Amino acid sequence: YKGLAMAYLEQKKYSQSLAMINQALSMKSSDAVLWSKKGEVYFFQKKYKPAIAAYEKAYELSPSKKNKYNLASTYLAAYKLDFAENMYDSLIKEDPNYVAAYEGLADILMLKKKFSEAKKKYLNILSRFPKFRHKKRIKRKIKKLEKIIKNQ
């Protein structure tokens, strides 16, 4: 079931993937990867409440940075900004080079309409982590913020 679930997920066949994940979890409910994939399915469907529940279970079973990051990002998507901020801060305390957590914090500032602060955070990411693989995305966010700030 697990392999089928992953294949369906890759093909963006979320209902089939979820059915296979649930089948697999009925046989092995302690599989953190399955719980994480269940969270991923719900996240892609924008069903954030069940995504959070699934990622919380994944993190409970395997308190990895990846599971914590997925949970933080789902809190962010669900506009549970305080929870997201706490998780991102916790990730940075664990690993000061966890670049994606810094981006998450900057995204929170943007959502809170603290545009200048968000821009500073994004610029700090680019200067501190020049080889960040998503620097084009960061640059797009900075350009967007510059337009917002200019029009304020």
Side-chain angles (χ1 to χ4, degrees):
Y1 294 109
K2 191 174 183 178
L4 252 146
M6 303 308 170
Y8 282 133
L9 184 56
E10 272 185 36
Q11 297 169 18
K12 299 181 181 177
K13 295 182 177 179
Y14 300 126
S15 57
Q16 294 98 321
S17 180
L18 193 57
M20 292 297 109
I21 289 168
N22 287 332
Q23 278 284 358
L25 283 170
S26 72
M27 292 182 273
K28 188 177 180 193
S29 64
S30 63
D31 189 326
V33 171
L34 284 169
W35 282 105
S36 182
K37 292 300 176 184
K38 186 172 184 171
E40 195 174 325
V41 168
Y42 283 129
F43 183 88
F44 287 138
Q45 293 177 320
K46 298 185 182 340
K47 296 178 180 176
Y48 300 122
K49 192 172 183 178
I52 287 169
Y55 281 135
E56 283 176 340
K57 184 68 176 174
Y59 184 70
E60 175 189 313
L61 293 168
S62 175
S64 67
K65 288 186 280 189
K66 183 177 184 205
N67 284 336
K68 187 183 281 191
Y69 175 78
N70 288 339
L71 184 55
S73 296
T74 307
Y75 281 137
L76 176 64
Y79 283 84
K80 294 179 181 262
L81 302 183
D82 291 339
F83 288 106
E85 187 172 0
N86 289 336
M87 298 295 285
Y88 289 132
D89 282 337
S90 174
L91 274 165
I92 290 167
K93 281 180 186 138
E94 276 179 53
D95 180 357
N97 294 316
Y98 205 96
V99 189
Y102 290 100
E103 183 180 4
L105 289 174
D107 290 345
I108 289 169
L109 289 170
M110 191 158 35
L111 289 172
K112 289 182 174 180
K113 299 188 185 318
K114 296 181 178 181
F115 303 124
S116 294
E117 288 179 56
K119 181 183 171 189
K120 284 178 193 165
K121 276 241 192 261
Y122 290 130
L123 287 169
N124 187 41
I125 291 168
L126 292 179
S127 65
R128 189 162 172 213
F129 306 101
K131 294 182 180 179
F132 181 45
R133 64 185 173 118
H134 297 297
K135 69 178 167 188
K136 284 182 182 176
R137 180 177 65 213
I138 300 291
K139 287 179 180 180
R140 282 193 305 270
K141 290 178 181 183
I142 291 168
K143 279 190 191 285
K144 181 180 176 182
L145 282 168
E146 286 170 344
K147 286 179 186 175
I148 292 169
I149 292 166
K150 184 179 175 183
N151 294 322
Q152 279 186 323

